[in-house]
Amino acid sequence: MSVAGVKKVGKLVICGVGLIGGSFALALRQAGLVEHVVGIGRRPEPLAAARELGIIDEAATDWAAALAGAELVLLAMPVGQMAAVAAAIAPHLQEGTIVTDAGSTKRDVIEAIYGHLDAHLASVVPAHPIAGAEKSGPTAARADLYRQRKVVVTPLPENNPAAVARVRELWAACGAVLHEMSPQDHDRVFAAVSHLPHLLAFGLVHDLAGRANAEQLFSYAASGFRDFTRVAGSHPEMWRDICIANRQSLLAELDAYLTELAYLRALLSEGNGPALERVFDAASRARNTWADKAFPAPPSGE
Amino acid sequence: MSVAGVKKVGKLVICGVGLIGGSFALALRQAGLVEHVVGIGRRPEPLAAARELGIIDEAATDWAAALAGAELVLLAMPVGQMAAVAAAIAPHLQEGTIVTDAGSTKRDVIEAIYGHLDAHLASVVPAHPIAGAEKSGPTAARADLYRQRKVVVTPLPENNPAAVARVRELWAACGAVLHEMSPQDHDRVFAAVSHLPHLLAFGLVHDLAGRANAEQLFSYAASGFRDFTRVAGSHPEMWRDICIANRQSLLAELDAYLTELAYLRALLSEGNGPALERVFDAASRARNTWADKAFPAPPSGE
């Protein structure tokens, strides 16, 4: 299929061809909206896999070649590499090439842009696609990853409106629903609803996996544990970078949560069933109301 | 289908016809292993629904009638009612009737049994089916809920081996895989892999739902949040009872987890990326190794 009224991307460069970057390339391919896809990254293996899977047409080994004639560059590597990559592309970036990113944090990405791409601020558009999966890497990429998912664009004041519109229309062509927020609001909101749950799940699995009876514990873990810990199967380096990049907001959220846990601990300790039930009841209502609205068709029978 | 070599239950009494009790009745019905199912409970609405859904044949209003001629009684109400129900059934329990339960905690259930059913210890067999779902109540019940799921039996020293064998064979006929543990081990293991994750998920949703910007936060929550909080959609009263009943083990697990969070907080605060990545990497490996083994066919495409 091709998307009415959207111009094809001549040359697309994906830096970091994993789940996120690979799925963007596949979605644009499926929409008939890209001519040539170039992948670039630190390690050759994912690039080779991406080529075999038909995600990219070509793996570049240097930025000069990759950026020559590029229309759009998607930075989809872990956010900790953003400053180094921004510095590396700066000398080779041509007039008219639009750069966007898929980083899960925005203030640090914008800091890297201002630090290294100050000559290109009109065409560097920060964004964050809200999509993930249990698995990472190019083999996990799929053309429908972004269908009905949100993409949050946090434009710079210096952005050329045409560049912002181009980034938006390409994400929309991938099936995504576009939103705009300030980088500050973005980072606070995602600390609460994404980064903290990841940290909490990593922490629980790490705690249990280190026990002498870890094998026994895991053998009795069931579907509730599977779902609670799904995000703990995520890419360790990517999540290290997100947590470090957004640590100011994340620490504030963690502290709010520790206050909540201290309250629950006190209720448990004093055996206060009625108050505990009020908490559970409020949580259960809020969660089910949200989930029924956000995910009207449950993805599984459970 | 009927299960070879297993004798039909003449009269089955389910106390608490919700997800757990209702699914047991439906599974035995589907296996052709029950003649007559009687439901009993505090409120008439779930009993009426269970009757309409064909889960029970009859709703009893008093224990004397319910227990007359009963072959098997399943106590499937929240564990906080266990002592009161044990006291209520004691005067009417006939010689030869086997009683079992589906409580998620075992030490407190056994305490209630010793407190009120001391004349019947040979035939009161504590057990715990490890199955759950996002929704509760009789409408959520289904015949295949226990297929391939574990049921942990924690027999009393006084149990008649024939009674234990009968409880085991009926759960096996529902498709379950049988295990035995001590009540102490049971309560410690499930505090770690079930009760704590529930408490943590209830706490996170409660914390966020109380914020001034709760609506904005929930609007950006995605599939990771959905899965992390699935258990927070569980039955508030049931989980209040479990947390109170098992609070000794649960407090120990919560304290271990708070130590883990204090460690993660320190790493975040000092910006210690390498140590944070080591934690995430260990957790991610442990989680994915476990999940690949425990759930070989993923239940959804995500």
Side-chain angles (χ1 to χ4, degrees):
Chain A
M1 86 178 176
S2 84
V3 174
V6 179
K7 200 166 61 71
K8 253 192 189 181
V9 179
K11 180 177 177 180
L12 169 67
V13 179
I14 306 280
C15 177
V17 189
L19 170 72
I20 296 298
S23 294
F24 181 73
L26 287 176
L28 287 187
R29 271 197 202 285
Q30 193 177 73
L33 283 178
V34 64
E35 295 277 0
H36 189 74
V37 184
V38 177
I40 188 165
R42 288 175 297 178
R43 293 184 304 122
E45 297 82 7
L47 290 172
R51 223 182 138 181
E52 252 176 60
L53 291 161
I55 297 171
I56 60 173
D57 300 299
E58 181 194 344
T61 49
D62 67 275
W63 278 111
L67 291 173
E71 184 183 333
L72 183 77
V73 181
L74 175 69
L75 306 178
M77 63 292 164
V79 287
Q81 299 168 44
M82 198 59 73
V85 168
I89 66 177
H92 308 289
L93 201 55
Q94 299 179 344
E95 184 75 25
T97 302
I98 296 172
V99 180
T100 188
D101 77 297
S104 301
T105 52
K106 293 274 67 75
R107 276 181 296 191
D108 67 306
V109 169
I110 290 172
E111 205 176 295
I113 294 170
Y114 280 106
H116 300 283
L117 295 169
D118 49 316
H120 304 272
L121 297 181
S123 56
V124 185
V125 183
H128 172 204
I130 317 306
E134 206 163 327
K135 306 285 176 172
S136 49
T139 51
R142 45 181 232 256
D144 67 350
L145 184 68
Y146 302 113
R147 201 162 294 161
Q148 294 292 101
R149 300 304 176 94
K150 290 185 176 66
V151 171
V152 180
V153 184
T154 61
L156 305 179
E158 296 85 351
N159 278 171
N160 177 346
V164 177
R166 182 65 167 150
V167 168
R168 291 182 63 117
E169 78 175 2
L170 290 172
W171 278 115
C174 296
V177 181
L178 277 295
H179 292 258
E180 282 195 17
M181 286 173 97
S182 76
Q184 290 70 21
D185 282 351
H186 173 280
D187 284 4
R188 275 196 288 260
V189 164
F190 288 94
V193 301
S194 172
H195 310 168
L196 180 64
H198 277 79
L199 188 74
L200 298 180
F202 279 127
L204 182 68
V205 177
H206 181 250
D207 176 13
L208 300 186
R211 307 277 185 93
N213 66 334
E215 205 175 328
Q216 182 196 35
L217 293 175
F218 282 109
S219 79
Y220 286 102
S223 62
F225 187 84
R226 175 195 65 201
D227 292 348
F228 184 87
T229 62
R230 182 176 74 88
V231 292
S234 306
H235 196 294
E237 184 193 359
M238 173 182 156
W239 282 94
R240 173 202 70 189
D241 284 359
I242 291 172
C243 291
I244 295 291
N246 199 24
R247 71 181 195 265
Q248 193 188 325
S249 298
L250 183 51
L251 280 168
E253 287 302 327
L254 178 56
D255 287 342
Y257 186 66
L258 288 169
T259 302
E260 174 81 26
L261 289 187
Y263 173 62
L264 294 178
R265 196 193 183 288
L267 296 183
L268 269 181
S269 189
E270 71 195 36
N272 191 339
L276 212 51
E277 188 179 358
R278 280 193 295 276
V279 170
F280 293 177
D281 189 59
S284 172
R285 282 169 201 268
R287 196 274 168 188
N288 288 336
T289 302
W290 166 76
D292 288 348
K293 200 176 133 197
F295 298 93
S300 84
E302 304 212 318
Chain B
M1 85 178 175
S2 83
V3 175
V6 179
K7 200 167 61 74
K8 252 192 190 182
V9 178
K11 180 177 176 181
L12 169 67
V13 178
I14 306 281
C15 177
V17 189
L19 170 73
I20 296 297
S23 294
F24 181 72
L26 287 176
L28 287 187
R29 270 196 201 286
Q30 193 176 75
L33 283 177
V34 63
E35 294 279 358
H36 189 73
V37 183
V38 177
I40 189 165
R42 287 174 299 175
R43 294 184 304 122
E45 297 82 6
L47 290 173
R51 223 182 137 181
E52 252 176 59
L53 291 161
I55 297 171
I56 60 173
D57 299 299
E58 181 195 344
T61 49
D62 67 273
W63 278 111
L67 291 173
E71 184 183 333
L72 183 76
V73 180
L74 175 69
L75 305 179
M77 63 293 164
V79 287
Q81 299 167 45
M82 197 59 72
V85 168
I89 66 177
H92 308 289
L93 201 55
Q94 299 178 344
E95 184 73 25
T97 302
I98 296 173
V99 179
T100 188
D101 77 296
S104 300
T105 51
K106 294 273 68 74
R107 276 181 295 192
D108 66 307
V109 169
I110 290 171
E111 205 175 295
I113 294 169
Y114 280 106
H116 299 284
L117 295 168
D118 50 316
H120 304 272
L121 297 180
S123 56
V124 184
V125 183
H128 172 204
I130 317 306
E134 207 163 328
K135 307 285 177 173
S136 49
T139 51
R142 44 181 232 256
D144 66 350
L145 184 69
Y146 301 113
R147 200 163 294 162
Q148 293 293 100
R149 301 305 176 94
K150 290 185 175 65
V151 170
V152 180
V153 183
T154 60
L156 306 179
E158 295 86 350
N159 278 171
N160 177 344
V164 176
R166 181 67 168 148
V167 168
R168 291 182 63 116
E169 78 174 1
L170 290 172
W171 278 115
C174 297
V177 180
L178 277 294
H179 292 258
E180 282 194 19
M181 287 173 95
S182 76
Q184 290 71 22
D185 282 351
H186 172 280
D187 284 4
R188 276 196 287 259
V189 164
F190 288 94
V193 301
S194 171
H195 310 167
L196 181 63
H198 277 77
L199 188 74
L200 299 179
F202 279 127
L204 182 67
V205 178
H206 181 250
D207 176 13
L208 300 186
R211 306 278 184 92
N213 66 336
E215 206 174 328
Q216 182 195 36
L217 293 174
F218 281 109
S219 79
Y220 286 101
S223 63
F225 187 84
R226 175 196 64 200
D227 293 347
F228 184 87
T229 62
R230 182 175 75 87
V231 292
S234 305
H235 195 296
E237 184 193 359
M238 174 182 155
W239 283 94
R240 173 202 70 188
D241 284 359
I242 290 171
C243 291
I244 295 291
N246 199 23
R247 71 181 194 266
Q248 193 189 324
S249 298
L250 183 52
L251 280 168
E253 287 302 327
L254 178 56
D255 288 342
Y257 186 65
L258 288 169
T259 302
E260 174 81 26
L261 289 187
Y263 173 63
L264 293 177
R265 195 191 184 291
L267 297 183
L268 269 181
S269 189
E270 72 195 38
N272 190 338
L276 213 50
E277 188 179 358
R278 280 194 294 276
V279 170
F280 293 177
D281 189 58
S284 172
R285 282 168 201 271
R287 197 275 170 187
N288 289 335
T289 303
W290 166 75
D292 288 347
K293 200 176 132 198
F295 299 93
S300 84
E302 302 212 321

